[in-house]
Amino acid sequence: MTEILPASPVIEPFAPSRQRELWGHPIGLWVLTLTEGWVGFSLYGMQAILALYLTDHLLQPDHSGHVFGLAPLEAFVSALYAPVGPRALAGAITGLFLALIYATPLLGGFLADRVLGQTRTILLGAVLMTVGHFLLSFDWSFVLALGFLLAGLGMAGGLRAQVGALYALDDRRRSDAYQIYMMGLQVAVIVSPILCASLAQIEWHWGFLAAGVGMLIGLVVYLFGRRWLPASDLTVHLTPHDASISKRTRPALTSQEKKTVWLLLALVPVMAVGAVPNSEIFDGYLLWGREHFQLRLLGHEMPVSDLISLDGFISTLCAVAVLWFWKAYSRRRQDLSEITKVALGTFIGAFGPLLLALGSWISPGLHQVSLLWGLAFHIVNDIGFSMSYAIGMALFSRAAPVSVNTILVACFSLHLFLSNLLIGKLATLLGRISDVSFWLLHSGAALLAAVILGFCALRFRDLLAPEKETLPPAL
């Protein structure tokens, strides 16, 4: 990928032919995977206890009055979602936070592409995230901590673009690289919710402190692994005259590229609707599961947050299985386009909430739904999400024009922003509509998105999955 910054000549940040490799991929991929794993450790450990912490502790009258900035936050969330009761308010705040996590990378992409460069932007973001996690260790700074976390997560979103920059645009390993990269997150999800939730049962803030330590380790890993990453930072200061020359030499988007950009942006809300079943896992699903699942295992009460670790374990296995399946498929048949795989993954994921609806219909009472229904939901959902998210990221990275690549890869995260806005509202419906209807809404939304993505795979193949151009024969 060639990245163009303001007041800078056109550069090629990383030459794939000169990269050292480990296990068939550039060493930089493993640095980014390990870094993202620790970022995921901190983020998912915090998310696993956030809704429960709000419901059982922070929003209780004895504590809420001592939190700086909580009253304006409650007023904003109430105007946006109109939640009824502490549980609905906790679900709405969690949904809004999860949504903003995926909106802020757009700002980070702009800073990386136009101001600071990717590496400096990511480093600044990691520092802000570390501070934010440690601020969560105190009740009074909760709202302030969320602000630091959102700013930091936005700047650290450039990690995804750096993965794509390690490979030539026609390198078949790009899709595999993004799936390997996502495994770092999935492995972290296995460990962090169990650890953070166990510590939170002793003292809520110990769980958040553990997440902060994980983020600090991720910052150290990225600092020591910088030499293996794409060199995309601005290293020279040009005069205004040179800068004006640079702006004139920046390549304009072609007509085909403009169509591709608009199509990718149009896919964002469609993918948002398709991601609703998976996005609900960190919000309404935990609140619903605590009341409806049989959470006794081998005679012991199981924290509902352990379902996040279960999901991380299943998701890792599914990611490996999906990666192996598409490798085996491409050896025997012509490989499917990335947009087709995303459509298939969204279609599969739509059946996950149907299983929860069926379990709710068979066992409608409190603490009556067998965990086997939850296990089935996670398996089906994770197979679908393993196909739609990582491969969708690869689709945006490859199809986006070079001069706006980082920004459009950041725009890919906007589909999770919109999806979490939706589940923030859906979480407020718990207890107000039947459980069966609640989960059927999620399934129907994903099925509709799958149909639209399938249509795009057929109708816009020339923009999203163009055939490789053949070079003319040498004279």
Side-chain angles (χ1 to χ4, degrees):
M1 180 188 78
T2 301
E3 181 177 322
I4 304 169
L5 300 172
S8 173
V10 178
I11 58 173
E12 176 131 355
F14 218 50
S17 61
R18 295 199 300 270
Q19 296 176 57
R20 290 186 59 184
E21 294 188 354
L22 177 66
W23 298 321
H25 287 273
I27 293 178
L29 172 65
W30 307 107
V31 172
L32 293 171
T33 300
L34 189 58
T35 301
E36 185 69 14
W38 283 110
V39 173
F41 176 94
S42 66
L43 182 60
Y44 290 114
M46 181 271 287
Q47 287 180 200
I49 60 178
L50 180 60
L52 305 175
Y53 166 69
L54 287 167
T55 303
D56 298 343
H57 180 79
L58 196 72
L59 296 181
Q60 296 301 313
D62 293 342
H63 301 281
S64 59
H66 306 291
V67 181
F68 174 76
L70 183 60
L73 176 62
E74 289 183 350
F76 178 77
V77 171
S78 296
L80 185 63
Y81 290 123
V84 178
R87 186 179 69 166
L89 180 60
I93 291 175
T94 302
L96 179 61
F97 173 73
L98 295 178
L100 291 174
I101 283 176
Y102 300 105
T104 53
L106 187 60
L107 174 61
F110 175 81
L111 289 175
D113 272 351
R114 308 300 181 199
V115 182
L116 298 176
Q118 284 182 346
T119 302
R120 282 194 287 267
T121 302
I122 291 169
L123 283 174
L124 178 58
V127 171
L128 291 175
M129 286 179 64
T130 303
V131 172
H133 278 295
F134 284 116
L135 284 176
L136 278 176
S137 300
F138 308 96
D139 282 349
W140 70 268
S141 54
F142 174 78
V143 178
L144 187 62
L146 294 187
F148 272 87
L149 286 171
L150 289 173
L153 284 162
M155 295 182 182
L159 286 168
R160 300 183 183 96
Q162 284 195 312
V163 173
L166 293 168
Y167 299 87
L169 292 177
D170 59 351
D171 194 329
R172 170 63 182 80
R173 298 176 300 168
R174 178 183 289 253
S175 243
D176 296 344
Y178 274 104
Q179 290 187 292
I180 292 171
Y181 171 79
M182 290 305 301
M183 285 182 199
L185 278 176
Q186 290 157 347
V187 171
V189 176
I190 298 173
V191 179
S192 61
I194 292 178
L195 177 60
C196 293
S198 298
L199 291 172
Q201 286 184 310
I202 303 171
E203 171 61 44
W204 282 110
H205 301 108
W206 288 12
F208 294 124
L209 186 62
V213 171
M215 187 60 237
L216 185 59
I217 296 174
L219 173 60
V220 172
V221 169
Y222 190 79
L223 279 170
F224 279 91
R226 281 183 300 169
R227 64 182 179 134
W228 303 111
L229 302 179
S232 59
D233 286 337
L234 189 63
T235 57
V236 294
H237 298 283
L238 301 182
T239 66
H241 175 70
D242 292 332
S244 65
I245 293 176
S246 174
K247 290 179 182 178
R248 289 198 302 268
T249 58
R250 182 183 301 161
L253 294 177
T254 65
S255 175
Q256 186 84 346
E257 288 176 333
K258 289 178 181 178
K259 291 178 182 178
T260 301
V261 168
W262 284 113
L263 180 57
L264 290 175
L265 292 176
L267 288 179
V268 169
V270 178
M271 297 180 71
V273 176
V276 160
N278 188 79
S279 298
E280 192 68 77
I281 290 176
F282 289 97
D283 197 349
Y285 175 70
L286 290 177
L287 299 174
W288 176 87
R290 186 166 64 170
E291 292 188 356
H292 291 85
F293 278 134
Q294 298 174 3
L295 291 174
R296 295 194 65 83
L297 188 64
L298 301 177
H300 299 281
E301 190 74 16
M302 184 183 77
V304 69
S305 54
D306 284 359
L307 293 174
I308 304 298
S309 293
L310 173 66
D311 185 75
F313 178 73
I314 295 173
S315 182
T316 302
L317 295 180
C318 289
V320 173
V322 168
L323 182 61
W324 174 84
F325 173 81
W326 288 120
K327 276 182 170 289
Y329 185 92
S330 64
R331 285 196 296 266
R332 291 170 175 79
R333 302 182 181 181
Q334 183 179 358
D335 200 14
L336 299 181
S337 65
E338 290 158 338
I339 182 62
T340 302
K341 293 177 183 178
V342 171
L344 288 173
T346 304
F347 178 75
I348 293 171
F351 288 89
L354 282 178
L355 297 170
L356 295 178
L358 183 58
S360 299
W361 180 68
I362 294 174
S363 306
L366 296 178
H367 306 295
Q368 295 298 312
V369 179
S370 170
L371 278 176
L372 291 177
W373 289 110
L375 178 64
F377 162 72
H378 285 288
I379 292 174
V380 173
N381 176 77
D382 288 335
I383 290 174
F385 197 67
S386 294
M387 292 174 58
S388 60
Y389 185 73
I391 297 176
M393 196 186 304
L395 166 66
F396 271 62
S397 174
R398 185 186 59 78
V402 170
S403 59
V404 291
N405 193 275
T406 303
I407 292 177
L408 279 177
V409 172
C411 284
F412 171 78
S413 296
L414 286 179
H415 86 278
L416 294 179
F417 161 70
L418 297 173
S419 181
N420 280 282
L421 280 182
L422 288 172
I423 63 105
K425 179 60 179 177
L426 288 171
T428 66
L429 299 178
L430 281 170
R432 298 171 61 186
I433 63 174
S434 71
D435 296 327
V436 174
S437 299
F438 179 77
W439 291 116
L440 286 178
L441 280 174
H442 293 71
S443 183
L447 188 60
L448 175 63
V451 172
I452 297 174
L453 289 169
F455 170 78
C456 291
L458 297 174
R459 178 65 178 81
F460 301 111
R461 180 180 177 84
D462 58 328
L463 296 177
L464 298 174
E467 299 291 339
K468 291 184 179 179
E469 296 181 2
T470 56
L471 296 175
L475 296 178

